[in-house]
Amino acid sequence: MPDAEVRMRAPAKANLFLRVLARESTGYHGLETLFCLLDLSDELVAERRAGDAVSIEVRGADVGPPEQNLAVRAADMVLQATGRRFGVHLTLDKRIPMQAGLGGGSSDAAAALLLTNQLAGNAVPRHELLQFAAKLGSDVPFFLSEARLALAWGHGERMLRLPPLPQVPALLLVPAEGMPTAEAYALIDQGAESTRRGGLALDLDALRGWGDIARMAGNDFEAALFSRRPALKEAFEALAGTRPLLCRLTGSGSAFLAVYRNATDRADASMMLGRKHGALIEVTAG
């Protein structure tokens, strides 16, 4: 008998590098990115209910209308695929900042796919869940894979799982103003970044150490956002000034990730930064 209630953590991610390729005829952009998990997470509970619909209760943030919520859409996909034999109520404890490029909504969606399928006795095979994930967004397949480190390209559906990096102390700087994903891509399209078409030539052996990764190409959203959001550029420069091993915009922003050699360096950086540029969250990367 399948469980009546299941739960799981939905972790945040960072893009250790992110290249945005040319806009396609479909309106979507191709990507080439290196995903890495962080230990910051939401928590999602899925409960079997009477009926055949999906409902949601969110604690800790206003995530907008339920019908637009990725976790609701994900759960509904599984119900549709399994004949709508029951309903699902989702309870989401939101801890990952929104509109920060940390993948919180996508991670919640991946968790909803897995949990709803568990309530259905794992009736939907893994390859079909991956197809659902790709339809929901380019970050969702990574979270569904449950890898800690992965190279992804295309629309996130093509992925190479990699051995995890050593875990290191890191700092998230989260500006007060978020960056909607659609707006970030619009800024990319307005700039020179939109003319790029080729991917990077990558040495997979160089993806095993933080120092090598730090020397690779950065995040294409940085140039697009910094030229139009001076406060973001100022926040990045302040964080980079704390001498981390790596400092990058997370996804399409607006948060930044800095990775440090040790916890002492991170504590010093936190003291230097204060709260001038946004909230600081201590995390572990890798």
Side-chain angles (χ1 to χ4, degrees):
M1 180 71 181
D3 294 329
E5 181 180 297
V6 287
R7 68 179 61 220
M8 70 181 298
R9 293 171 57 250
K13 59 80 183 171
N15 302 79
L16 301 183
F17 62 75
L18 173 57
R19 186 171 175 87
V20 182
L21 306 182
R23 186 175 183 179
E24 301 168 357
S25 59
T26 60
Y28 292 99
H29 296 76
L31 300 173
E32 186 174 68
T33 189
L34 182 64
F35 286 119
C36 178
L37 282 191
L38 307 176
D39 67 349
L40 176 67
S41 64
D42 294 340
E43 184 170 16
L44 186 66
V45 178
E47 179 186 357
R48 180 193 291 261
R49 291 278 180 92
D52 61 2
V54 181
S55 58
I56 189 169
E57 174 189 357
V58 182
R59 304 166 181 163
D62 179 2
V63 299
E67 62 273 13
Q68 295 179 14
N69 187 279
L70 281 181
V72 171
R73 290 170 54 195
D76 195 68
M77 284 179 166
V78 176
L79 292 186
Q80 178 70 24
T82 55
R84 296 195 177 276
R85 296 179 284 111
F86 57 90
V88 171
H89 179 71
L90 302 174
T91 303
L92 175 61
D93 283 308
K94 198 76 185 149
R95 303 185 187 99
I96 301 172
M98 297 170 58
Q99 295 186 350
L102 294 165
S106 296
S107 189
D108 298 339
L113 287 173
L114 292 168
L115 292 178
T116 307
N117 197 38
Q118 192 173 335
L119 292 177
N122 293 314
V124 180
R126 187 78 177 186
H127 71 273
E128 285 189 31
L129 287 181
L130 284 169
Q131 291 174 4
F132 294 165
K135 291 178 182 178
L136 288 163
S138 58
D139 293 345
V140 185
F142 168 66
F143 288 115
L144 190 73
S145 76
E146 300 181 278
R148 296 201 61 82
L149 184 75
L151 181 67
W153 59 99
H155 300 135
E157 80 286 358
R158 301 172 64 194
M159 192 182 315
L160 177 62
R161 191 179 183 126
L162 299 169
L165 290 163
Q167 293 194 336
V168 290
L171 199 60
L172 288 171
L173 193 166
V174 186
E177 186 177 2
M179 172 56 68
T181 302
E183 183 179 337
Y185 274 102
L187 292 176
I188 281 270
D189 287 337
Q190 292 169 19
E193 296 85 359
S194 64
T195 63
R196 292 179 173 173
R197 298 193 178 275
L200 293 171
L202 294 172
D203 177 2
L204 293 183
D205 288 335
L207 301 180
R208 297 177 181 175
W210 287 102
D212 289 330
I213 288 171
R215 287 187 285 272
M216 288 186 178
N219 184 330
D220 282 351
F221 283 103
E222 290 172 1
L225 270 59
F226 292 171
S227 63
R228 298 163 181 88
R229 294 276 192 94
L232 288 182
K233 182 179 181 182
E234 185 180 343
F236 174 79
E237 289 174 346
L239 187 60
T242 65
R243 302 183 67 181
L245 282 171
L246 175 150
C247 184
R248 287 271 73 87
L249 185 75
T250 60
S252 57
S254 61
F256 300 95
L257 174 77
V259 169
Y260 296 90
R261 293 171 180 81
N262 52 59
T264 299
D265 286 354
R266 179 176 65 182
D268 291 344
S270 184
M271 187 174 297
M272 288 173 59
L273 290 164
R275 300 286 167 166
K276 178 181 178 181
H277 301 286
L280 298 175
I281 304 174
E282 292 187 352
V283 296
T284 299

